[in-house]
Amino acid sequence: MARVTFRLPEPLRELAGGASSVSVEGGSLREALDRLAAEAPLLAGRLLADDGRVRPYVHLYMDGRDARDPDSVPPLRGDVEIAVVPSIAGGRPAPGPALTPEERARYHRQMILPEVGEAGQRRLRSASVLVVGAGGLGSPAALYLAAAGVGRLGLVDSDAVDASNLHRQVLHDTPAVGRAKVEVASERLGRLNPSVEIETHAVRLDASNAMELFGRGWDLVLDGSDNFPTRYLVNDACVLLGIPLVYGAILRFEGQVSLFAAPGGPCYRCLFREPPPPGLVPGCAEAGVLGPLPGLVGSIQAAEALKWLLGAGRPLTGRLLLVDAAEMTFREVAVRRDPACPLCGDAPTITGPIDYEAFCGGPGDGGPDTESSAADGTGPEGELPFEIGVEELRDRLAAGASLQLVDVREAEEREISDLRGVAGIRHIPMGELTVRYGELDPERETVVYCRSGARSGRAVEFLRDRGLAGARNLRGGMNEWVERVDPSQPRY
Amino acid sequence: MPDATDPGIRPRLRPLPLPAGVRDRLARHAEAAWPAEACGILVGRADAGRDAPVDDAIPLPNLAGHPDRAWRLDPLAIAARVPPGGRLLGFWHSHPDRSPLPSRRDVALALPGFWQVVIAVSGGRAGARAAWRPVRADAPRQEDSPWPA
């Protein structure tokens, strides 16, 4: 049995009540660490991982000898001093061997950028990027990443090339119709830059294979997927594994790009806690897409990926870029990490992949036509009731009540029916609520409505979660209003 | 359109209080070390708690084997540099000729509960900063992420 004294440097003293050392009894270093865990759990939690191993940034020295592996230290006797030394360090790995003359010739035009140079090009060569989807977004992104000399590219896609893909998916051409996309892509990228190592996965990404696939040592993941289950899965896997994610999405004339899961930055769930109801946001197959739009968005994704790998410029962390090709405008919305995020927040509830099909539209999620289970019209004492009836709304509007009115329907629906003659209605379609709710005054009583009260019910739940305690759902929605208050308008 | 100053957007985040004088000192230390990485500690008043404002950014020798792309502080030297009545709030280092975003190794080795401030120095001139504070030892998840600091 020995008396073991752990000497603490300044950064760790706070965890031991300010003491510069902590002493415990123990016959071995392992036993002493166990005793430390019992007597100074805060300190021990910082030094040891859950499996009992010494954390990567902590070094233990006994008489100047490395004691990081406690189980290899011989039994202790007498008075023993252990110096606890945290690594207060950081940096980047070595950038690999020098470039060949061929490489210098090929990459010359980007290497003359001061942000790239010889060191940056070597960094790209030692980098690896996983591209999810070899379609509209993945095509331009993978082409630019391979052309730029990113050393290792992964491609995941289970689809075959279809003639209807060719107006936008520029990796593929007419003779490729019917062949597996990843195979065609691999050949095309190999011809473009034979020095790039290409890894293909002709599988449908799902919760059963994502962690294994994402865990294969990627520096970055680029999401070119076209559906919500995959988008949430990609985000979750990236956050859980600590891999930055270049997100991109497109529809019709509009696109979004951001960088998620970067250290300190938000994730997709911080922005969109839940997927929109099934059917609310159509896919490209139903809604259509202008061919160059994925070219534009996928190229922006590739630029963000290269910037991140090079450490150049200002990344899109904390910013959601909104591209509108119809107006040809670019604007951005600030996105902050949400401490209450179920995935990357301070107390996460999602610790592994979930059932994404069910999450994004399985039974119970409710489409626009189902009744919202929360819309029962009652609320805890002292709060405004969750719902408001159409007659009450009519009477209060007639009495000049100061209400904030929010229509969460799509623009087409507003042309069918509306609260005619009422001024100051705010139109925030359901799909934009998570980024635009900040436009609302949280202090005011707010009535939210849609067609039937289902979507607006979810909107009110969302708003109340964000502290808008005065948010209320119009029971029965516009159809109820038409039925009981204004029969001059059509129901739909 | 919502923006970072909109009180409706994530009001719970609190940025790192880094006064102008400290920002200037940080910039000077980082510029003096360029093209090597500079590093040091951030200190505040002991009685102001862990969310105390940063009163000073003190430089310490960079002991890394490759100071052009890495940094390392002597942890035992830190206590001597924290002034009487002061408190260690975190660490800073510079990124010569690249963005202030932390590298993987910066993240993996970051001590939970302490601020990390990174300042970019481009061509010898100090530029953008980033600040973050890891919550847990084993996670890439961070708290309080004012980009930039």
Side-chain angles (χ1 to χ4, degrees), chain A residues 256-327:
Chain A
Q256 301 179 343
V257 194
S258 193
L259 180 69
F260 293 126
C267 80
Y268 185 66
R269 284 182 188 266
C270 297
L271 177 63
F272 300 112
R273 182 69 62 89
E274 285 177 9
L280 189 64
V281 180
C284 289
E286 304 92 54
V289 59
L290 192 69
L293 178 68
L296 195 58
V297 171
S299 300
I300 295 172
Q301 288 181 273
E304 285 305 304
L306 292 175
K307 277 166 58 188
W308 177 264
L309 297 173
L310 290 164
R314 187 163 74 102
L316 269 175
T317 312
R319 298 184 289 152
L320 177 70
L321 179 69
L322 303 170
V323 179
D324 181 343
E327 295 290 321

Coordinates of all heavy atoms in Angstrom, one line a residue, chain A residues 256-327:
Chain A
Q256 N -30.0 25.6 -51.0 CA -29.5 25.9 -49.7 C -28.1 25.3 -49.5 O -27.9 24.1 -50.0 CB -30.3 25.3 -48.5 CG -31.8 25.8 -48.5 CD -32.6 25.2 -47.4 OE1 -32.2 24.2 -46.8 NE2 -33.7 25.8 -47.1
V257 N -27.2 26.0 -48.9 CA -25.8 25.4 -48.6 C -25.4 25.9 -47.2 O -25.7 27.0 -46.8 CB -24.8 25.9 -49.6 CG1 -23.5 25.0 -49.5 CG2 -25.3 25.9 -51.1
S258 N -24.8 25.0 -46.5 CA -24.2 25.4 -45.2 C -23.1 24.3 -44.9 O -23.0 23.3 -45.5 CB -25.2 25.5 -44.1 OG -24.7 26.1 -43.0
L259 N -22.3 24.7 -43.8 CA -21.4 23.7 -43.3 C -21.8 23.4 -41.8 O -21.9 24.3 -41.0 CB -20.0 24.4 -43.2 CG -18.9 23.5 -42.7 CD1 -18.6 22.3 -43.6 CD2 -17.6 24.3 -42.5
F260 N -22.2 22.1 -41.6 CA -22.6 21.7 -40.3 C -21.6 20.8 -39.6 O -20.7 20.3 -40.3 CB -24.0 20.9 -40.5 CG -25.1 21.7 -41.0 CD1 -25.8 21.3 -42.1 CD2 -25.5 22.9 -40.3 CE1 -26.9 22.1 -42.5 CE2 -26.6 23.6 -40.7 CZ -27.3 23.2 -41.8
A261 N -21.8 20.6 -38.3 CA -21.0 19.7 -37.5 C -19.6 20.0 -37.5 O -18.7 19.2 -37.2 CB -21.2 18.2 -38.0
A262 N -19.2 21.3 -37.8 CA -17.9 21.7 -37.6 C -17.7 22.1 -36.1 O -18.7 22.4 -35.4 CB -17.6 23.0 -38.4
P263 N -16.5 22.0 -35.5 CA -16.3 22.3 -34.1 C -16.9 23.7 -33.8 O -16.6 24.7 -34.4 CB -14.8 22.4 -33.9 CG -14.3 21.5 -35.0 CD -15.2 21.7 -36.2
G264 N -17.8 23.7 -32.8 CA -18.4 24.9 -32.3 C -19.6 25.4 -33.1 O -20.4 26.2 -32.7
G265 N -19.8 24.8 -34.3 CA -20.9 25.2 -35.2 C -22.2 24.4 -35.0 O -22.2 23.4 -34.3
P266 N -23.3 24.8 -35.6 CA -24.5 24.1 -35.5 C -24.6 22.9 -36.4 O -23.7 22.6 -37.2 CB -25.5 25.1 -36.0 CG -24.8 25.9 -37.0 CD -23.3 26.0 -36.5
C267 N -25.6 22.1 -36.2 CA -25.9 21.0 -37.1 C -27.2 21.2 -37.8 O -27.9 22.1 -37.5 CB -25.8 19.6 -36.4 SG -27.3 19.2 -35.5
Y268 N -27.6 20.3 -38.7 CA -28.8 20.4 -39.5 C -30.0 20.4 -38.6 O -31.0 21.1 -38.8 CB -28.9 19.3 -40.5 CG -30.1 19.3 -41.4 CD1 -30.2 20.3 -42.4 CD2 -31.1 18.4 -41.4 CE1 -31.3 20.4 -43.2 CE2 -32.2 18.4 -42.2 CZ -32.3 19.4 -43.2 OH -33.4 19.5 -44.0
R269 N -29.9 19.6 -37.4 CA -31.1 19.6 -36.5 C -31.2 20.9 -35.7 O -32.3 21.2 -35.2 CB -30.9 18.4 -35.5 CG -31.3 17.1 -36.2 CD -31.1 16.0 -35.1 NE -31.3 14.7 -35.7 CZ -32.4 14.0 -35.8 NH1 -33.5 14.5 -35.3 NH2 -32.4 12.8 -36.3
C270 N -30.1 21.7 -35.5 CA -30.2 22.9 -34.9 C -31.1 23.9 -35.7 O -31.8 24.7 -35.2 CB -28.9 23.6 -34.7 SG -27.7 22.7 -33.7
L271 N -31.0 23.7 -37.0 CA -31.8 24.5 -37.9 C -33.2 24.0 -38.1 O -34.2 24.7 -38.0 CB -31.0 24.6 -39.3 CG -31.6 25.3 -40.4 CD1 -31.7 26.8 -40.1 CD2 -30.8 25.2 -41.7
F272 N -33.3 22.7 -38.5 CA -34.6 22.0 -38.7 C -34.7 20.9 -37.7 O -34.2 19.8 -38.0 CB -34.7 21.5 -40.1 CG -34.5 22.6 -41.2 CD1 -33.4 22.6 -42.0 CD2 -35.5 23.5 -41.3 CE1 -33.3 23.6 -43.0 CE2 -35.4 24.5 -42.3 CZ -34.3 24.6 -43.1
R273 N -35.3 21.1 -36.6 CA -35.4 20.1 -35.5 C -36.1 18.9 -36.1 O -35.8 17.8 -35.7 CB -36.2 20.7 -34.4 CG -36.4 19.8 -33.2 CD -35.1 19.6 -32.4 NE -34.5 20.8 -31.9 CZ -34.8 21.3 -30.7 NH1 -35.7 20.6 -29.9 NH2 -34.2 22.4 -30.2
E274 N -37.2 19.1 -36.9 CA -37.9 18.0 -37.4 C -38.2 18.2 -38.9 O -38.2 19.3 -39.4 CB -39.3 17.9 -36.7 CG -39.2 17.4 -35.3 CD -40.5 17.3 -34.6 OE1 -41.5 17.6 -35.2 OE2 -40.5 17.1 -33.4
P275 N -38.3 17.1 -39.6 CA -38.6 17.2 -41.0 C -40.0 17.8 -41.3 O -40.9 17.7 -40.4 CB -38.6 15.8 -41.6 CG -38.8 14.9 -40.4 CD -38.3 15.7 -39.2
P276 N -40.2 18.4 -42.4 CA -41.6 18.9 -42.7 C -42.5 17.7 -42.8 O -42.0 16.6 -43.1 CB -41.4 19.6 -44.1 CG -40.2 19.0 -44.7 CD -39.3 18.6 -43.5
P277 N -43.8 17.9 -42.7 CA -44.7 16.8 -42.8 C -44.6 16.2 -44.2 O -44.3 16.9 -45.2 CB -46.1 17.4 -42.7 CG -45.9 18.8 -42.1 CD -44.5 19.2 -42.4
P278 N -44.8 14.8 -44.3 CA -44.6 14.2 -45.6 C -45.6 14.8 -46.6 O -46.7 15.2 -46.3 CB -45.0 12.8 -45.4 CG -45.2 12.6 -43.9 CD -45.2 13.9 -43.3
G279 N -45.1 15.0 -47.8 CA -45.9 15.6 -48.9 C -45.9 17.1 -48.9 O -46.2 17.7 -49.9
L280 N -45.4 17.8 -47.9 CA -45.4 19.2 -47.9 C -44.3 19.7 -48.8 O -44.5 20.7 -49.5 CB -45.2 19.7 -46.4 CG -45.3 21.2 -46.3 CD1 -46.8 21.6 -46.5 CD2 -44.9 21.7 -44.9
V281 N -43.1 19.1 -48.7 CA -42.0 19.5 -49.6 C -41.8 18.4 -50.6 O -41.4 17.3 -50.3 CB -40.7 19.7 -48.8 CG1 -39.6 20.1 -49.7 CG2 -40.9 20.8 -47.7
P282 N -42.2 18.7 -51.9 CA -42.1 17.6 -52.9 C -40.6 17.4 -53.3 O -39.8 18.2 -53.0 CB -42.9 18.2 -54.0 CG -42.9 19.6 -53.8 CD -42.7 19.9 -52.4
G283 N -40.3 16.3 -53.9 CA -39.0 16.0 -54.4 C -38.8 16.6 -55.8 O -39.8 17.1 -56.4
C284 N -37.6 16.5 -56.4 CA -37.4 17.0 -57.7 C -38.2 16.2 -58.8 O -38.6 16.8 -59.8 CB -35.9 16.8 -58.1 SG -34.8 17.8 -57.2
A285 N -38.5 15.0 -58.5 CA -39.3 14.2 -59.5 C -40.7 14.8 -59.6 O -41.3 14.8 -60.7 CB -39.4 12.7 -59.0
E286 N -41.3 15.3 -58.5 CA -42.6 15.9 -58.6 C -42.6 17.4 -58.9 O -43.4 17.9 -59.7 CB -43.4 15.7 -57.3 CG -43.5 14.3 -56.8 CD -42.4 13.9 -55.9 OE1 -42.2 14.6 -54.9 OE2 -41.7 12.9 -56.1
A287 N -41.6 18.1 -58.3 CA -41.6 19.6 -58.4 C -40.8 20.1 -59.5 O -41.0 21.2 -59.9 CB -41.2 20.2 -57.1
G288 N -39.8 19.3 -60.0 CA -38.9 19.8 -61.0 C -37.8 20.6 -60.5 O -37.8 21.0 -59.4
V289 N -36.7 20.7 -61.3 CA -35.6 21.4 -61.0 C -34.9 21.9 -62.2 O -34.8 21.2 -63.2 CB -34.6 20.6 -60.1 CG1 -34.1 19.3 -60.8 CG2 -33.4 21.4 -59.7
L290 N -34.4 23.2 -62.2 CA -33.7 23.7 -63.3 C -32.3 23.1 -63.3 O -31.6 23.2 -62.3 CB -33.6 25.2 -63.1 CG -33.2 26.0 -64.3 CD1 -34.2 26.0 -65.5 CD2 -32.9 27.5 -63.9
G291 N -31.9 22.6 -64.5 CA -30.6 21.8 -64.5 C -29.4 22.5 -63.9 O -28.7 21.9 -63.1
P292 N -29.1 23.8 -64.3 CA -27.9 24.4 -63.7 C -28.0 24.7 -62.2 O -26.9 24.9 -61.6 CB -27.9 25.8 -64.5 CG -28.7 25.6 -65.7 CD -29.8 24.6 -65.3
L293 N -29.2 24.6 -61.6 CA -29.2 24.9 -60.2 C -28.4 23.9 -59.3 O -27.6 24.4 -58.5 CB -30.7 25.0 -59.7 CG -30.8 25.2 -58.2 CD1 -30.3 26.7 -57.8 CD2 -32.2 25.0 -57.7
P294 N -28.6 22.6 -59.5 CA -27.7 21.7 -58.8 C -26.2 21.9 -59.2 O -25.3 21.7 -58.3 CB -28.1 20.3 -59.2 CG -29.0 20.5 -60.3 CD -29.6 21.9 -60.3
G295 N -25.9 22.4 -60.4 CA -24.6 22.7 -60.8 C -24.0 23.8 -59.9 O -22.9 23.8 -59.4
L296 N -24.9 24.8 -59.7 CA -24.5 26.0 -58.9 C -24.3 25.6 -57.5 O -23.2 25.8 -56.9 CB -25.6 27.0 -59.1 CG -25.5 28.4 -58.6 CD1 -24.4 29.1 -59.4 CD2 -26.8 29.1 -58.9
V297 N -25.3 24.9 -56.9 CA -25.2 24.5 -55.5 C -24.1 23.5 -55.2 O -23.3 23.6 -54.3 CB -26.6 24.0 -55.0 CG1 -26.5 23.5 -53.6 CG2 -27.6 25.2 -55.0
G298 N -24.0 22.5 -56.1 CA -23.0 21.5 -55.9 C -21.6 22.1 -56.0 O -20.6 21.7 -55.3
S299 N -21.4 23.1 -56.9 CA -20.1 23.8 -57.0 C -19.8 24.6 -55.8 O -18.6 24.6 -55.4 CB -20.1 24.7 -58.3 OG -20.4 23.9 -59.4
I300 N -20.8 25.2 -55.2 CA -20.6 26.0 -54.0 C -20.2 25.0 -52.9 O -19.3 25.2 -52.1 CB -21.9 26.7 -53.5 CG1 -22.2 27.8 -54.6 CG2 -21.7 27.3 -52.2 CD1 -23.5 28.5 -54.4
Q301 N -20.8 23.8 -52.9 CA -20.4 22.8 -51.9 C -19.0 22.4 -52.0 O -18.2 22.2 -51.1 CB -21.3 21.5 -52.0 CG -22.8 21.8 -51.5 CD -23.6 20.5 -51.6 OE1 -24.1 20.2 -52.7 NE2 -23.6 19.7 -50.6
A302 N -18.6 22.2 -53.3 CA -17.2 21.8 -53.6 C -16.2 22.9 -53.1 O -15.2 22.6 -52.5 CB -17.0 21.5 -55.1
A303 N -16.6 24.1 -53.3 CA -15.8 25.3 -52.9 C -15.6 25.3 -51.4 O -14.5 25.5 -50.8 CB -16.3 26.6 -53.4
E304 N -16.8 25.0 -50.7 CA -16.7 25.0 -49.2 C -15.9 23.9 -48.7 O -15.1 24.0 -47.7 CB -18.1 24.9 -48.6 CG -18.9 26.2 -48.7 CD -18.2 27.4 -48.0 OE1 -17.8 27.2 -46.9 OE2 -18.0 28.4 -48.7
A305 N -16.0 22.7 -49.4 CA -15.2 21.6 -49.0 C -13.7 21.9 -49.2 O -12.9 21.6 -48.2 CB -15.6 20.3 -49.9
L306 N -13.3 22.4 -50.3 CA -11.9 22.7 -50.5 C -11.4 23.8 -49.5 O -10.3 23.7 -49.0 CB -11.7 23.2 -52.0 CG -11.9 22.1 -53.0 CD1 -11.8 22.8 -54.4 CD2 -10.9 21.0 -52.9
K307 N -12.2 24.8 -49.3 CA -11.8 25.8 -48.3 C -11.6 25.2 -46.9 O -10.6 25.5 -46.2 CB -13.0 26.9 -48.2 CG -12.9 27.9 -49.2 CD -14.2 28.7 -49.3 CE -14.6 29.4 -47.9 NZ -15.9 30.0 -47.9
W308 N -12.5 24.3 -46.5 CA -12.3 23.7 -45.2 C -11.1 22.8 -45.2 O -10.3 22.9 -44.2 CB -13.6 22.8 -44.9 CG -13.4 22.1 -43.6 CD1 -12.9 20.8 -43.4 CD2 -13.6 22.6 -42.3 NE1 -12.9 20.5 -42.1 CE2 -13.3 21.6 -41.4 CE3 -14.1 23.8 -41.8 CZ2 -13.4 21.8 -40.0 CZ3 -14.2 24.0 -40.5 CH2 -13.9 23.0 -39.6
L309 N -10.8 22.1 -46.2 CA -9.6 21.2 -46.2 C -8.3 22.0 -46.2 O -7.3 21.6 -45.6 CB -9.7 20.3 -47.4 CG -10.8 19.3 -47.5 CD1 -10.8 18.5 -48.8 CD2 -10.8 18.3 -46.3
L310 N -8.4 23.2 -46.9 CA -7.2 24.0 -46.9 C -7.1 25.0 -45.7 O -6.0 25.5 -45.5 CB -7.3 24.9 -48.2 CG -7.1 24.2 -49.5 CD1 -7.6 25.1 -50.7 CD2 -5.6 23.8 -49.7
G311 N -8.2 25.1 -45.0 CA -8.2 26.1 -43.9 C -8.2 27.5 -44.5 O -7.6 28.4 -43.9
A312 N -8.8 27.7 -45.7 CA -8.8 29.0 -46.3 C -10.1 29.7 -46.2 O -11.2 29.0 -46.2 CB -8.4 28.8 -47.8
G313 N -10.1 31.0 -46.2 CA -11.3 31.8 -46.3 C -12.2 31.6 -45.1 O -11.8 31.1 -44.0
R314 N -13.5 32.1 -45.2 CA -14.4 32.1 -44.1 C -15.5 31.0 -44.5 O -16.2 31.1 -45.5 CB -15.1 33.4 -44.0 CG -16.0 33.5 -42.8 CD -16.3 35.0 -42.5 NE -17.3 35.6 -43.4 CZ -18.6 35.8 -43.1 NH1 -19.1 35.4 -42.0 NH2 -19.4 36.3 -44.0
P315 N -15.5 29.9 -43.7 CA -16.5 28.8 -44.0 C -17.9 29.2 -43.8 O -18.2 30.2 -43.1 CB -16.0 27.7 -43.1 CG -15.4 28.4 -41.9 CD -14.8 29.7 -42.4
L316 N -18.8 28.4 -44.3 CA -20.3 28.7 -44.1 C -20.8 28.1 -42.8 O -21.9 27.9 -42.6 CB -21.1 28.0 -45.2 CG -21.3 28.9 -46.5 CD1 -22.1 28.0 -47.5 CD2 -22.2 30.1 -46.2
T317 N -19.9 28.0 -41.8 CA -20.3 27.5 -40.5 C -21.2 28.6 -39.9 O -20.8 29.8 -39.9 CB -19.1 27.4 -39.5 OG1 -18.1 26.6 -40.2 CG2 -19.5 26.7 -38.2
G318 N -22.3 28.2 -39.3 CA -23.2 29.2 -38.7 C -23.9 30.1 -39.7 O -24.5 31.1 -39.3
R319 N -23.8 29.8 -41.0 CA -24.5 30.6 -42.0 C -25.2 29.6 -43.0 O -24.6 28.7 -43.4 CB -23.6 31.4 -42.8 CG -22.8 32.5 -41.9 CD -22.0 33.3 -42.8 NE -20.8 32.7 -43.3 CZ -20.2 33.0 -44.5 NH1 -20.7 33.9 -45.2 NH2 -19.1 32.3 -44.9
L320 N -26.5 29.9 -43.2 CA -27.2 29.1 -44.2 C -27.3 30.0 -45.5 O -28.0 31.1 -45.4 CB -28.6 28.7 -43.7 CG -29.5 27.9 -44.7 CD1 -28.9 26.5 -45.0 CD2 -30.9 27.9 -44.2
L321 N -26.7 29.6 -46.6 CA -26.8 30.3 -47.8 C -28.0 29.9 -48.6 O -28.2 28.7 -48.8 CB -25.5 30.1 -48.6 CG -25.5 30.8 -50.0 CD1 -25.3 32.3 -49.8 CD2 -24.3 30.3 -50.8
L322 N -28.9 30.9 -48.9 CA -30.1 30.6 -49.7 C -29.9 31.2 -51.1 O -29.7 32.3 -51.3 CB -31.3 31.3 -49.0 CG -31.5 30.9 -47.6 CD1 -32.6 31.8 -46.9 CD2 -31.9 29.5 -47.5
V323 N -30.0 30.2 -52.1 CA -29.8 30.6 -53.5 C -31.1 30.6 -54.2 O -31.9 29.6 -54.1 CB -28.9 29.6 -54.2 CG1 -28.7 29.9 -55.6 CG2 -27.5 29.5 -53.4
D324 N -31.5 31.7 -54.8 CA -32.7 31.7 -55.6 C -32.4 32.0 -57.0 O -32.0 33.1 -57.4 CB -33.6 32.9 -55.0 CG -34.9 32.9 -55.8 OD1 -35.1 32.4 -56.9 OD2 -35.9 33.6 -55.2
A325 N -32.4 30.9 -57.9 CA -32.0 31.1 -59.2 C -33.1 31.8 -60.1 O -32.8 32.3 -61.2 CB -31.7 29.7 -59.8
A326 N -34.3 31.9 -59.6 CA -35.3 32.6 -60.4 C -35.1 34.1 -60.3 O -35.1 34.8 -61.3 CB -36.7 32.3 -59.8
E327 N -34.8 34.6 -59.1 CA -34.4 36.0 -58.9 C -33.0 36.2 -59.1 O -32.5 37.3 -59.2 CB -34.8 36.4 -57.5 CG -36.3 36.4 -57.2 CD -37.0 37.5 -58.0 OE1 -36.5 38.6 -58.1 OE2 -38.1 37.2 -58.5

